[in-house]
Amino acid sequence: CIDINYFGHGHPSTQAECDQAVKQSLDSIPQALANLVKLWATIETMTHGAWIIQLGYPRVFPAGGYDGGCNGIIQPKQKQLNNVADALDSALQKNAADYPYVKFVDTAPTFAGHEVCGSSSGKPYINDLQTNAGTANNCPTDYIVNGACSQSFHPNAWGYEAEAQLLKPIIAQLL
C-alpha cells in the first residue's frame, strides 16, 4: 500500500493491489488465531497454568489518517490499514476471552497520540518506514527485506517502554 514513486516496486502500490493485500490479511486472521490458540494451549500445558498476556495491536497511523500522506502511504490507505489493526485486535480480544489463562491487554490507548506520522505528542512510539535500510539506520542486516527494515512500523524504544509501564501493574496483579 505504498506509493511506488516513494518506495519502488515489489510492494502493493495501486488501490486494487492494496485492497487485495488488505483482504488477504483480513482473510488470514482466522487461521492465525487458530495457530495462536494452539500455542496458548501448549504454553498452558507445559507450564501447568501460567498466565499468558496477549498484547493487542496499536493503530500505526492517527485516527482518520495523517493528511498529506505518511511514508508514501496516502490517508485513505492509512485508514484502511488502521481498520485491519482494529479487526485483528478485536479478534485477539474475543479469542482471549474464551481462555481463562489468557489476559488480553489493549495497547491502542497507550499508543494513541504516538503514531508514526502526526504524533500529537511529538514522540512517536512506532518506527516509521525505513527504506534503504542498513546497520547505520539501526537495522541489522538479517532484518532487511526487499530494501526495507522489517522493524518498520514496529514499536521503537519509547513504544517498548510504554508497553512495559502498561504491563507492570498487570503483572503485579497476576503474581
Side-chain angles (χ1 to χ4, degrees):
C1 296
I2 297 171
D3 180 352
I4 198 163
N5 296 318
Y6 184 86
F7 188 59
H9 298 282
H11 300 272
S13 59
T14 68
Q15 188 61 45
E17 289 172 335
C18 183
D19 290 344
Q20 181 61 29
V22 167
K23 182 183 180 320
Q24 287 174 342
S25 294
L26 289 169
D27 290 348
S28 71
I29 290 174
Q31 183 58 53
L33 288 176
N35 293 340
L36 183 61
V37 166
K38 288 178 188 175
L39 176 62
W40 289 344
T42 300
I43 292 169
E44 196 273 337
T45 300
M46 293 180 78
T47 62
H48 306 290
W51 277 98
I52 297 170
I53 299 174
Q54 174 63 59
L55 293 179
Y57 284 85
R59 288 180 158 192
V60 173
F61 306 102
Y66 182 70
D67 191 27
C70 175
N71 292 190
I73 303 171
I74 62 173
Q75 193 172 9
K77 290 179 184 178
Q78 294 171 43
K79 291 179 190 179
Q80 196 174 28
L81 294 170
N82 274 347
N83 289 339
V84 172
D86 291 347
L88 179 57
D89 227 28
S90 176
L92 284 169
Q93 187 170 17
K94 286 177 186 171
N95 261 28
D98 292 337
Y99 296 88
Y101 53 87
V102 178
K103 178 161 182 62
F104 176 82
V105 176
D106 186 5
T107 62
T110 299
F111 280 75
H114 299 278
E115 296 86 358
V116 172
C117 297
S119 170
S120 62
S121 69
K123 190 176 187 180
Y125 286 176
I126 301 171
N127 290 322
D128 65 355
L129 176 64
Q130 298 175 18
T131 60
N132 302 317
T135 53
N137 294 346
N138 197 26
C139 187
T141 304
D142 57 339
Y143 284 29
I144 299 173
V145 180
N146 294 332
C149 185
S150 63
Q151 293 303 297
S152 298
F153 302 117
H154 281 76
N156 57 28
W158 290 326
Y160 287 125
E161 177 62 29
E163 285 180 336
Q165 294 305 316
L166 174 66
L167 289 172
K168 277 183 183 179
I170 294 167
I171 292 170
Q173 180 185 13
L174 294 175
L175 295 176

